[in-house]
Amino acid sequence: MPVWLNPDSVEDTPRPVVAIANDYPPSFELAWHRHRRGQLLYAARGVVAVSTPDGAWVAPPERAVWTPPTVPHSVRMVGSVSTRGVLIEPGVCPALGERSKVIEVSPLLRSLLLAASDLPREYDETGRDGLVISLLLAELERAPVIPLATPFPSTPALAAKCRAFLEAPSPHDTIDAWSAQLGIGRRAFTRAFRRETGMSFAEWRQQACVVVALPRLAAGEPVTAIALDLGYESPAAFATMFKRLLGVAPSRYLG
């Protein structure tokens, strides 16, 4: 059984920020749920994959997923996962925004997340503990957003195509093919896709391939097998795309 604390049990703690630590066995899944507070989820070990009705987000090491208050989400653990979660009252850290995202976890932010999870539930806001939380919020304010997101469009038919792509991704899917299948013009498709996802179709497609690949890498699957399954002509082509998006080779995330 997992050793974990239900975030709902601490949401009413009279502090603006509450940090909790949890340990999960391989492949453990948290079914759809929501929190009154916003949640930042950081995997100190392993990889977490978070799904919401609006998209999918993956956090490998040095990354964390932000889920805004009341947003329904499910979480899948890849490998044995140790998380540090931070529950934040609405309005306390407006820079995190009202949409899910993946942020970079710097060495300082990582240390603060670990330290915060060791604090008493009702920590002293006027002493050292309060300073830890204040610095944690300051670091969250400036944390860079990382392109590890596949937001879903609001148009149902287009969102269904995106969900199907995540089930069977291919880097060779084209705008012409998707627009023809949906029965809309190419220009209308590209405008709608960017308006509803915040990125171009090509950007979304590449990020979707990375989001699918990361859990498989963390599970120890060979880079070659993943690259070919995703439809890349060679591991080198996949590695080039991967490094352009994340700044490191796929082997960096091998479990």
Side-chain angles (χ1 to χ4, degrees):
M1 292 294 292
V3 178
W4 68 291
L5 176 67
N6 188 336
D8 291 343
S9 67
V10 300
E11 278 206 301
D12 292 330
T13 301
R15 295 293 182 272
V17 178
V18 180
I20 58 176
N22 278 320
D23 294 308
Y24 302 95
S27 303
F28 187 76
E29 296 190 19
L30 294 172
W32 288 91
H33 61 287
R34 68 178 76 198
H35 308 296
R36 181 182 61 78
R37 300 181 185 224
Q39 182 184 49
L40 185 82
L41 192 61
Y42 167 67
R45 183 184 70 244
V47 172
V48 294
V50 178
S51 297
T52 78
D54 298 320
W57 289 261
V58 174
E62 293 110 33
R63 307 288 187 264
V65 179
W66 165 248
T67 305
T70 74
V71 172
H73 57 284
S74 63
V75 184
R76 178 167 58 92
M77 313 299 168
V78 182
S80 297
V81 175
S82 178
T83 65
R84 299 298 183 270
V86 181
L87 298 168
I88 304 175
E89 284 284 358
V92 168
C93 191
L96 287 172
E98 299 179 357
R99 302 187 68 175
S100 298
K101 65 180 70 173
V102 176
I103 64 169
E104 180 178 331
V105 176
S106 67
L108 175 56
L109 181 53
R110 179 182 188 277
S111 296
L112 290 166
L113 288 167
L114 296 176
S117 67
D118 290 333
L119 297 180
R121 197 67 62 223
E122 297 188 23
Y123 52 83
D124 178 8
E125 295 182 274
T126 63
R128 173 194 177 271
D129 296 350
L131 293 174
V132 168
I133 296 300
S134 294
L135 185 53
L136 171 61
L137 290 172
E139 285 299 293
L140 290 177
E141 292 269 354
R142 64 189 296 274
V145 178
I146 303 298
L148 280 174
T150 51
F152 295 146
S154 56
T155 302
L158 191 51
K161 286 287 294 178
C162 290
R163 291 188 179 93
F165 184 90
L166 288 178
E167 295 296 324
S170 168
H172 304 301
D173 277 18
T174 64
I175 292 173
D176 290 333
W178 278 40
S179 58
Q181 292 163 9
L182 293 168
I184 60 177
R186 177 187 175 92
R187 183 172 296 180
F189 173 91
T190 56
R191 285 201 302 262
F193 200 95
R194 183 175 288 279
R195 181 176 65 250
E196 296 181 19
T197 66
M199 63 184 73
S200 71
F201 175 76
E203 291 169 337
W204 187 94
R205 183 185 59 199
Q206 287 188 341
Q207 291 190 30
C209 286
V210 171
V211 164
V212 171
L214 276 168
R216 296 182 61 181
L217 290 167
E221 294 188 38
V223 174
T224 297
I226 296 171
L228 296 179
D229 284 350
L230 291 177
Y232 283 86
E233 296 178 358
S234 67
F238 169 70
T240 297
M241 179 278 297
F242 191 100
K243 189 170 184 178
R244 185 169 62 249
L245 285 182
L246 297 188
V248 295
S251 57
R252 167 68 177 76
Y253 292 111
L254 281 173

